[in-house]
Amino acid sequence: MTIPDHLRVRREPQRGRYDRETIDAILDEALYCHLAFDVDGQPYAIPTLHARVGDTLYVHGSAASRMLRHVSSGSACARP
Protein backbone atom coordinates (compact mmCIF):
# COMPACT_ATOMS: atom_id res chain seq x y z
CA MET A 1 0.00 0.00 0.00
CA THR A 2 1.30 3.44 -0.91
CA ILE A 3 0.75 6.14 1.70
CA PRO A 4 -0.01 9.58 0.19
CA ASP A 5 2.54 12.27 1.07
CA HIS A 6 -0.03 14.40 2.92
CA LEU A 7 -0.62 11.51 5.37
CA ARG A 8 3.05 10.72 6.06
CA VAL A 9 4.78 11.70 9.31
CA ARG A 10 7.17 14.56 8.56
CA ARG A 11 8.76 15.23 11.94
CA GLU A 12 10.90 12.24 12.91
CA PRO A 13 9.56 10.12 10.01
CA GLN A 14 11.43 7.05 11.27
CA ARG A 15 8.86 6.88 14.09
CA GLY A 16 5.87 6.68 11.70
CA ARG A 17 4.09 3.34 11.37
CA TYR A 18 1.55 2.57 8.67
CA ASP A 19 0.90 -1.15 9.08
CA ARG A 20 -2.59 -2.33 9.99
CA GLU A 21 -1.49 -4.24 13.11
CA THR A 22 0.06 -1.12 14.69
CA ILE A 23 -2.89 1.11 13.78
CA ASP A 24 -5.40 -1.42 15.19
CA ALA A 25 -3.39 -1.67 18.44
CA ILE A 26 -3.41 2.13 18.83
CA LEU A 27 -7.16 2.34 18.20
CA ASP A 28 -7.89 -0.54 20.59
CA GLU A 29 -5.87 0.99 23.44
CA ALA A 30 -7.00 4.62 23.10
CA LEU A 31 -9.92 5.87 25.21
CA TYR A 32 -10.89 8.59 22.73
CA CYS A 33 -9.80 10.06 19.42
CA HIS A 34 -9.86 13.39 17.62
CA LEU A 35 -11.51 13.61 14.21
CA ALA A 36 -10.32 16.49 12.06
CA PHE A 37 -12.10 17.88 9.02
CA ASP A 38 -12.76 21.17 7.27
CA VAL A 39 -15.97 22.84 6.18
CA ASP A 40 -15.58 25.60 3.61
CA GLY A 41 -11.91 26.00 4.52
CA GLN A 42 -12.56 26.24 8.27
CA PRO A 43 -10.69 23.45 10.14
CA TYR A 44 -12.28 21.59 13.06
CA ALA A 45 -10.89 18.88 15.38
CA ILE A 46 -13.47 17.17 17.59
CA PRO A 47 -12.62 14.80 20.46
CA THR A 48 -14.95 11.80 20.54
CA LEU A 49 -15.28 8.25 21.79
CA HIS A 50 -14.61 5.43 19.37
CA ALA A 51 -14.64 1.65 19.11
CA ARG A 52 -13.19 -0.71 16.52
CA VAL A 53 -14.96 -3.93 15.60
CA GLY A 54 -12.99 -5.80 12.96
CA ASP A 55 -12.51 -3.47 10.00
CA THR A 56 -15.20 -1.02 11.14
CA LEU A 57 -14.49 2.06 13.26
CA TYR A 58 -17.46 3.48 15.15
CA VAL A 59 -17.42 7.04 16.49
CA HIS A 60 -19.78 8.55 19.03
CA GLY A 61 -21.81 11.59 18.09
CA SER A 62 -25.22 13.04 17.45
CA ALA A 63 -26.70 12.72 13.97
CA ALA A 64 -27.14 16.51 14.15
CA SER A 65 -23.43 17.17 14.81
CA ARG A 66 -21.41 19.03 12.19
CA MET A 67 -18.79 16.28 12.24
CA LEU A 68 -21.16 13.42 11.43
CA ARG A 69 -23.16 15.44 8.91
CA HIS A 70 -19.90 16.27 7.12
CA VAL A 71 -18.75 12.65 7.03
CA SER A 72 -22.18 11.32 5.98
CA SER A 73 -22.26 13.80 3.08
CA GLY A 74 -19.45 11.80 1.47
CA SER A 75 -16.80 14.44 2.08
CA ALA A 76 -13.28 13.25 2.77
CA CYS A 77 -12.03 13.71 6.35
CA ALA A 78 -8.37 13.84 5.38
CA ARG A 79 -7.40 16.12 2.49
CA PRO A 80 -4.08 17.12 0.92
Side-chain angles (χ1 to χ4, degrees):
M1 169 195 297
T2 302
I3 307 300
D5 285 341
H6 71 280
L7 297 178
R8 291 198 161 277
V9 174
R10 296 193 195 301
R11 189 174 187 167
E12 298 199 42
Q14 72 281 4
R15 296 186 65 195
R17 299 289 180 267
Y18 305 95
D19 62 284
R20 184 62 185 261
E21 183 178 302
T22 301
I23 293 168
D24 286 349
I26 292 168
L27 290 170
D28 293 345
E29 187 174 325
L31 299 176
Y32 62 93
C33 65
H34 287 79
L35 296 180
F37 58 98
D38 73 82
V39 175
D40 298 327
Q42 174 67 43
Y44 298 90
I46 309 293
T48 188
L49 299 174
H50 71 284
R52 184 183 70 85
V53 179
D55 289 343
T56 303
L57 183 66
Y58 295 94
V59 294
H60 179 266
S62 164
S65 76
R66 179 178 299 174
M67 172 184 66
L68 294 182
R69 282 183 307 184
H70 185 70
V71 171
S72 68
S73 73
S75 298
C77 286
R79 295 184 185 184

